[in-house]
Amino acid sequence: MSKDIDWGSLGFGYIQTDKRFVANYKDGAWDAGTLTGDATVTMSECACVLQYAQTCFEGLKAYRTEDGRVVCFRPDLNAARMADSCRRLEMPVFPEERFVQAVHEVVAANLDFVPPYGSGATLYLRPFMFGSNAVIGVKPATEFQFRIFCTPVGPYFKGGAKPITIRVSDFDRAAPHGTGHIKAGLNYAMSLHAIMDAHRQGFAENMYLDPATRSKVEETGGANFIFITKDGKLVTPKSNSILPSITRRSLMVVAERYLGMPVEHREVLLSELGDFAECGLCGTAAVISPVGKVVDHGREICFPSGMEQMGSYTQKLYDTLTGIQMGRIPAPEGWLHTIA
Ligand SMILES: *Cc1c(COP(=O)(O)O)cnc(C)c1O
């Protein structure tokens, strides 16, 4: 490892690495794309992304497995999801096979930044696209840039995953028939006030409800929910305005195929939260963050798993998925993309 990085003390922040991938779309076509050492972007002050937020992104990780390979986890699903995001935002799709190839090239060009196995740190990859030409009337850009940079990040939870307390939010995340199901920057811009407000009130996250009836659980600003019933079933909320988390979809497979747990993907009512034994948030960054308590306007819903550790089913899900990712447990066909 030639990079002089203290892997154990890395936080979740941006560190500039050697190379990133850049491709440009102009006159109706993507160029060949290239790796570059230039970590900056220069564009018109009137670029569509700056005026009308025409941008979407993805997030995935590369890391070293127990047997010393460097791999990515299911990058084909990130490619497909970004294609969905682009179509909804009137942006040109970057072809899915080329997306996976670009992920491969970026990791291969920054191998020294892939943290060692067992450090808890990983190389986080951020593919993103934005409308780059000047647009003043409200319409889509005609020129776009697709980039993938990477940055080494520390374990999301230093010193283990303690259960968190979250609140039921009075803010809404995604309108019915809106953009909640795509990974658009605009969904995050409007969540920033809600998350800062939650933090000021002493909560780690917001639980967003469906805006139409405010009776059903959707997700948090950047993670899907999983619930465990008292008899060991995995339940995950279903809604057209939830972002389809790759971690959540993978956990559903892990529960069913590896742990023999029944899985239900269905609407989850706020009023039934008290019936669950365990609750967690899932996403690429933390894999699973256990939730110990949900506060709904003063009413506390405390899960039996408590505030000291993950519930036992959540722990099994976490251990199995991270075991698959790290090569300790055989992965389903196609889940690990080997880079080196
Ligand atoms: C990215 C994201 C997630 C998590 O998705 P993963 O593919 O598991 O990383 C969940 N919710 C929202 C709103 C997201 O943007």
Side-chain angles (χ1 to χ4, degrees), residues 6 20 40 51 64 98 108 134 157 201 288 291 336:
D6 179 5
R20 69 278 302 126
T40 62
Q51 304 310 322
R64 290 179 197 272
R98 288 192 63 194
F157 299 109
Q201 313 283 327
I288 304 179
V291 174
L336 297 190

Side-chain angles (χ1 to χ4, degrees), residues 81 173 183 188 219-224 243 245-247 282-284:
R81 192 169 64 185
R173 190 188 87 89
K183 226 167 163 68
Y188 280 77
E219 60 173 321
T220 67
N224 285 184
L243 192 282
S245 157
I246 294 164
T247 313
C282 62
T284 295

Side-chain angles (χ1 to χ4, degrees), residues 171-175 180-181 187 190 208-209 211 219-221 241-243:
F171 299 103
D172 293 325
R173 190 188 87 89
H181 61 301
N187 292 335
M190 38 83 40
Y208 292 106
L209 303 178
E219 60 173 321
T220 67
S241 46
I242 290 176
L243 192 282

Side-chain angles (χ1 to χ4, degrees), residues 166 207-210 215-220 223-228 233-245 248-249 251-252 263-270 272-273 276 278-282:
I166 67 174
M207 169 182 275
Y208 292 106
L209 303 178
D210 72 300
S215 65
K216 290 173 258 180
V217 175
E218 295 251 302
E219 60 173 321
T220 67
N224 285 184
F225 278 104
I226 56 168
F227 297 98
I228 308 289
K233 228 184 285 165
L234 172 65
V235 178
T236 73
K238 186 174 187 175
S239 150
N240 290 336
S241 46
I242 290 176
L243 192 282
S245 157
R248 188 259 302 159
R249 286 182 276 163
L251 286 169
M252 290 167 72
V263 173
E264 282 180 9
H265 189 208
R266 60 161 171 88
E267 289 188 339
V268 172
L269 300 176
L270 178 61
E272 67 175 306
L273 286 193
F276 292 117
E278 302 175 24
C279 172
L281 303 176
C282 62

Side-chain angles (χ1 to χ4, degrees), residues 22 26 28 36 40 50 56 74 78 113 119 133 142 169 172 197 234 237 323 336:
V22 184
K26 194 176 177 174
T36 173
T40 62
L50 298 179
C56 61
R74 309 187 79 180
N78 296 96
F113 290 95
S119 65
N133 63 299
T142 52
S169 176
D172 293 325
D197 188 61
L234 172 65
L336 297 190

